[in-house]
Amino acid sequence: GLRPVRPGEVRVVQAAGSGDDAIVAVVRQLSGRRVVVTADRELRERCVAAGAEIRGPGWLLGLLPG
């Protein structure tokens, strides 16, 4: 399994095939709060079903220094 994510940590995962499948798999493997940033409707639905919170790209861009 994957080690827990520390608060404030961003995890980058290389996808061997489908990126969406890899994201959903990581959401399922981790416990606690999981946040996925995507505008893709199907991926949003799959991640929510797997237990993640969803944020849109605008949310993430708003966090970055201008």
Side-chain angles (χ1 to χ4, degrees):
L2 298 172
R3 70 166 176 73
V5 178
R6 295 183 305 268
E9 179 182 358
V10 174
R11 177 162 296 171
V12 177
V13 177
Q14 183 172 347
S18 163
D20 288 3
D21 289 347
I23 292 167
V24 174
V26 169
V27 169
R28 287 187 179 133
Q29 289 175 31
L30 294 173
S31 61
R33 184 176 187 213
R34 291 144 295 159
V35 178
V36 175
V37 179
T38 183
D40 182 281
R41 183 179 303 260
E42 181 181 340
L43 179 57
R44 292 171 69 101
E45 292 172 2
R46 291 178 64 194
C47 288
V48 167
E53 297 176 34
I54 303 298
R55 299 291 183 265
W59 171 84
L60 181 59
L61 291 173
L63 296 177
L64 300 175

